[in-house]
Structure formats: C-alpha cells, structure tokens
Amino acid sequence: MTTSVTEPAAGAGRAVWVSTAASAACFAVWTLFAILGLGIQEEFHLSSTQFGLLVGTPILTGALSRGALGILSDRYGGRRTFLIVMLLATASTLLMSFAGSYFRLLLAAMGVGLAGGSFAVGVSYASRFFPTRRQGAALGVFSAGSVGAVITEFLAPTAMLALGWRGAAQIWAAG
C-alpha cells in the first residue's frame, strides 16, 4: 500500500505501540544500575568514585551510542536494530548478575547502556510510519516508553530485597 502524504502508513499504530513497549523495557534496564548499584557497592566494597563511575557508565554509553544506533536503524531498519540492541542489553544484564569483578561490572554496564541508546532507534522507526504533521503525536506516544525507568525505580528495590541484586538483575534480564 502506498503511503499518502496525509495519512499514516499501514501498521502505524502497531509500530508505535510496539516500539513504545520496547522502549519501556529498554529504559527499565538502562536505569537498573541506579538501584542495584547499592547492593553492588556493598558486595564489592566500592568507593564513592567507583560507585559513581559504575552508575554513570550505562547513562554515558546510552547517550554516546544514540548516533551510531540511529544510523544503523536507518541502514538496517528499526525492527532489526531494536531486536539486536535488546538482545545485547539483555545479555549484558544477565552477565552483570554473574560478574565477579568490578571490571566485569563496568563491561556489563556498557552493554546495558545500549538500552538507553535504543531511544534513537525507536524515534527513527516510529516516525517513518507517519506523515510529518502527525509525527509529533506519534513520537509523544513513543516517548512515554521512558516510564520504564519509573518501573525500575518502584519495583527494583523490592526485587533486590527479596532476591538480592543478582536475582533482581536476572528478573530484569528475563523481562
């Protein structure tokens, strides 16, 4: 079906809602170190500087990866790029739960950070389905996926108390 200049493409609604859900999952993982970091700091006896670097690494990686992920999304498509980013972030979250050293935690934090970079993938993907005059609304819906960070802020402390930080990370990796 040919997309007219004034109407959304076929499947536009589904694309924006699926990308919003994927974005929520990514934001939930992206901010996980901010909560679980307290348990990690205690177990690994991290200094304030080490803790700050660990918690900041996913945020930095997410910010720095957005340009490259946007380009990859343009080149290979948003669905494929989103899938790859989510798989890498999931693997990194799972590996985080098995880390035995600070260095491995930092490596996992860099992989988890890709989840934050997924925002550029979703913007590229969701906007393609809509004409210019409707992209603001579509991207507004998509941006609501940032609620995933709030989900982590509310649920991860309880999960960490019940399962420890490693168990909570495994739950987030499975989600």
Side-chain angles (χ1 to χ4, degrees), residues 81-136:
T81 306
F82 233 138
L83 176 64
I84 291 167
V85 166
M86 291 181 78
L87 289 173
L88 290 171
T90 298
S92 296
T93 304
L94 186 60
L95 291 174
M96 172 182 103
S97 74
F98 294 107
S101 70
Y102 180 68
F103 179 74
R104 288 185 180 158
L105 285 169
L106 284 174
L107 288 176
M110 286 193 293
V112 167
L114 291 174
S118 70
F119 189 78
V121 177
V123 166
S124 170
Y125 178 66
S127 65
R128 289 184 180 194
F129 286 87
F130 293 88
T132 304
R133 69 176 184 80
R134 304 261 317 263
Q135 286 179 354

Side-chain angles (χ1 to χ4, degrees), residues 11-93:
R14 182 176 191 277
V16 78
W17 288 110
V18 169
S19 62
T20 301
S23 179
C26 285
F27 268 83
V29 167
W30 189 40
T31 57
L32 192 57
F33 270 97
I35 300 298
L36 301 188
L38 297 173
I40 294 168
Q41 182 181 30
E42 184 178 309
E43 181 178 324
F44 285 87
H45 307 290
L46 302 180
S47 69
S48 295
T49 302
Q50 289 173 312
F51 177 71
L53 181 61
L54 182 64
V55 171
T57 295
I59 306 305
L60 179 63
T61 303
L64 295 177
S65 67
R66 286 180 179 174
L69 290 174
I71 292 167
L72 290 172
S73 182
D74 288 343
R75 182 169 292 158
Y76 299 108
R79 276 164 92 203
R80 183 177 294 153
T81 306
F82 233 138
L83 176 64
I84 291 167
V85 166
M86 291 181 78
L87 289 173
L88 290 171
T90 298
S92 296
T93 304

